[in-house]
């Protein structure tokens, strides 16, 4: 089994979906640690209920982003994950930090990237009258919500939707998508190359001259 750490800031419904998926027979990962930057994140209690090791690194306890990230990195090193999943971790990570986990850190984002990076995606989707919305799992790189895509799921925007009904539809898709994307990474079926391209094992290596 691959060792997986999950980083959260809040509710932890994606964490919950990942925990459930990893408990199924034949799933290639185990969640061995949960890291939160918020001491009151509901996901912490959930992790503890499953006997998963938790670490809280509150940004307010550190004088700089660098010092906070060093502490997060140290916590990750005690967990020794093969893969790190960001699941509602609401803090931008520096290039220096992300570089240490390049190719083994993934994130879920509530939009069909590269559309609607950043916050309040559901509100912005409604404002643009987009008809198709969804979620994306991608490798984490320095830019916000910019890393190479691993998997996506689409949901319709329906007449009468508000941000809440739309968010709920997307969240349901997230809970299916994240475990399947994590499995692809854990089984080595998708990986990031040194040039930042994602390779899916279903496709041949791209020609370097292309
Ligand atoms: C999820 O919708 C996730 O995609 C989003 O936060 C929510 C966390 O919910 N992440 C981002 O917006 C990252 N920029 P959860 O705590 O219940 O999993």
């Amino acid at each position: 089994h691959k060792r997986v750490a999950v980083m959260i800031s809040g509710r932890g419904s994606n964490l919950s979906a990942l925990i459930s998926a990893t408990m199924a027979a034949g799933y290639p990962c185990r969640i061995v640690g949960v890291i939160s930057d918020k001491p009151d994140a509901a996901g912490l209690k959930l992790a503890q209920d499953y006997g998963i090791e938790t670490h809280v690194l509150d940004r307010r306890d550190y004088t700089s982003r660098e010092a906070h990230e060093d502490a997060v990195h140290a916590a990750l090193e005690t967990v020794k994950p093969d893969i790190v999943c960001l699941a509602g971790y609401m803090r931008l990570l520096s290039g220096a930090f992300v570089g240490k986990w390049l190719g083994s850190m993934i994130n879920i984002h509530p939009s069909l990237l590269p559309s609607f990076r950043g916050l309040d995606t559901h509100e912005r989707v409604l404002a643009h009258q987009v008809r198709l919305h969804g979620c994306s799992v991608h490798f984490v790189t320095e830019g916000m919500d910019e890393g190479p895509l691993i998997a996506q799921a689409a949901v319709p925007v329906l007449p009468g939707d508000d941000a809440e009904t739309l968010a709920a539809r997307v969240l349901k898709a997230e809970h299916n998508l994240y475990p399947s994307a994590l499995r692809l990474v854990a089984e080595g079926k998708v990986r990031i190359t040194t040039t930042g391209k994602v390779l899916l094992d279903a496709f041949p290596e791209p020609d370097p001259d292309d």
Side-chain angles (χ1 to χ4, degrees):
H1 283 120
K2 295 274 197 239
R3 299 172 61 80
V4 172
V6 182
M7 291 174 54
I8 62 167
S9 297
R11 178 176 55 187
S13 73
N14 277 288
L15 169 65
S16 175
L18 289 170
I19 292 172
S20 300
T22 55
M23 288 186 342
Y27 197 87
C29 311
R30 288 288 174 266
I31 310 230
V32 291
V34 170
I35 289 176
S36 174
D37 66 323
K38 298 279 183 235
D40 56 353
L44 285 169
K45 164 92 170 62
L46 178 78
Q48 284 152 9
D49 288 346
Y50 282 92
I52 298 169
E53 167 183 337
T54 58
H55 297 262
V56 176
L57 294 312
D58 190 337
R59 174 66 181 83
R60 292 170 298 187
D61 294 338
Y62 300 88
T63 50
S64 65
R65 173 165 91 159
E66 194 189 3
H68 180 246
E69 287 187 344
D70 286 348
V72 171
H73 188 72
L76 282 175
E77 283 192 318
T78 72
V79 172
K80 294 190 180 39
D82 299 301
I83 302 168
V84 180
C85 292
L86 305 185
Y89 186 74
M90 302 307 280
R91 200 164 275 290
L92 258 187
L93 295 166
S94 71
F97 178 89
V98 157
K100 295 175 189 159
W101 298 95
L102 193 65
S104 52
M105 180 174 276
I106 66 178
N107 179 47
I108 190 156
H109 179 76
S111 79
L112 290 174
L113 292 172
S115 292
F116 302 107
R117 293 178 169 129
L119 299 176
D120 303 323
T121 57
H122 312 300
E123 286 81 354
R124 288 187 286 137
V125 157
L126 289 169
H128 282 271
Q129 299 191 297
V130 165
R131 291 292 167 239
L132 202 56
H133 186 27
C135 50
S136 307
V137 177
H138 63 93
F139 285 108
V140 177
T141 57
E142 183 169 8
M144 182 183 63
D145 304 322
E146 268 191 7
L149 292 165
I150 297 164
Q152 296 183 294
V155 303
V157 181
L158 297 177
D161 265 339
D162 57 24
E164 210 170 298
T165 59
L166 190 52
R169 193 174 307 120
V170 172
L171 195 64
K172 214 173 150 204
E174 292 185 43
H175 297 163
N176 284 319
L177 186 70
Y178 214 172
S180 64
L182 173 59
R183 179 193 274 276
L184 287 177
V185 175
E187 292 178 341
K189 290 187 171 144
V190 60
R191 60 199 158 81
I192 189 170
T193 68
T194 48
T195 55
K197 284 248 168 11
V198 160
L199 290 182
L200 295 165
D201 78 342
F203 299 102
E205 295 250 356
D207 188 319
D209 297 328
D210 281 355

